[in-house]
Amino acid sequence: MDISVKKKRTRGRLSREMIEDAAFEVIEREGLSGFSMRKLAAELGCEAMSIYHHFPSQAHLYEALVDRQISSIKIPDDGMRWRQRIHVAVKEYRRVATEHPAFAPFIVVYRMNSPTCLAKLNDVIGLFEAGGFGLELSARLFRATSYYLMGAILDETAGYAKGPSAVTTVSDEALARDFPGVMAAGAYFGTAGFDKTFDIGLDMLLDEMERIRDGANAR
Amino acid sequence: MDISVKKKRTRGRLSREMIEDAAFEVIEREGLSGFSMRKLAAELGCEAMSIYHHFPSQAHLYEALVDRQISSIKIPDDGMRWRQRIHVAVKEYRRVATEHPAFAPFIVVYRMNSPTCLAKLNDVIGLFEAGGFGLELSARLFRATSYYLMGAILDETAGYAKGPSAVTTVSDEALARDFPGVMAAGAYFGTAGFDKTFDIGLDMLLDEMERIRDGANAR
DNA sequence: CTTGACAACTTACGCTGTAAGGTTAATTTT
DNA sequence: AAAATTAACCTTACAGCGTAAGTTGTCAAG
């Protein structure tokens, strides 16, 4: 007649990997801001504080999630032409970062500093330097390309395609009447056009980088 | 001998404008995640719930802050060449968005839908269409340029220049030893280099857009 | 002087991350 | 086999969060 069901305590049920897997699931289901240690515990069938035995804090857990995603990025080796290598690396980063869409915005704003991430960063920076721009210019071109990449990931995972986050909303009729330019262009802002738009912008940057390099070499 | 100091109640002390001003101050002081209605109230010398008479929710307040920033953006009229107009508009957006650095990341991820913001958006989209790319391409070029702009704003206000957000940190010695590429390139990632890097990337995009347009016209 | 409305305040609720300490199961030592 | 130790998980509790609901004080109009 005991109402409360006694929890069977068993050791070794949890592991860092299990917790990380469950975290991605909860984040996708509840959204990044809807995620909490208690919801994660519920998903795992344990108590919130049990997680703290495996991760010292939520921040440590998040870092592990970032590390896991970033470390799965494959930077192309020198078996292809330079432009191709950059192209593949950028697309690969985008693919991995958007694998768990709800978590992507976190990756974008996260200032990584773990050895895992720094190693990857080091490889990518090396890739840009291999373009032969010299230290400073290749560093700046890397940043500029990152700007584009991060902005794209952010828009594709947390942008207008998900509907407005605003409290004040404008109806579709009002939109068509008062802001026809937005209405017309909006047709190309949906999920279906993400790849095409991204490739146009990326090719623009790649074209320019090649032009810069050729110009420097010709001199 | 009364320990508690009685609060003098006065009407009309608060206004939307006052609250918004104080909000920007608290956000800059405490950071976006450190901001709260209670801290805002403390700054204003009132109670948290008093704010709710002027803004129905925190989300409404945030929206007002976004509106205020976005509406202060000046889109250049047709008194200058097309490239120049885009250039000025992009730099102006960046200037306004980074005016309150701690709030900038919120603007970047915010999916605006208020008339104020839509009007501005409509103008900018019109600017891209004036480039003569046709509806679809100008829409995609606008998005690609936005990606770059948003990524830049995000990095400049919430990026590595503010130190790592990671829990795990790598010392400077370890960085120089294990990740020399990061170390070397990092010299150009500081605040001092923001403008130069941003201009390089922006000019690349503008150059390409002009090239695309000239190519289309020549055909 | 009374009345009514408005602006500010008080209290309370369910949520959050997590510090501190308790409990129990598995392992190791005797 | 029994005892001691250690590791894994749970319970409780706290401060802070946004905000719903209800209360109180103040000022302007009648």
Side-chain angles (χ1 to χ4, degrees), chain A residues 36-50:
Chain A
S36 79
M37 299 302 269
R38 284 172 174 85
K39 285 180 191 165
L40 174 56
E43 173 83 17
L44 288 162
C46 72
E47 295 303 316
M49 289 310 291
S50 304

Side-chain angles (χ1 to χ4, degrees), chain A residues 9-14 47 49-50 53-54:
Chain A
R9 220 189 258 234
T10 32
R11 305 182 69 179
R13 281 193 306 123
L14 297 172
E47 295 303 316
M49 289 310 291
S50 304
H53 182 75
H54 302 269

Side-chain angles (χ1 to χ4, degrees), chain A residues 139-150:
Chain A
R140 297 199 193 279
L141 290 175
F142 161 72
R143 285 255 34 86
T145 308
S146 299
Y147 290 170
Y148 177 74
L149 176 57
M150 296 302 152

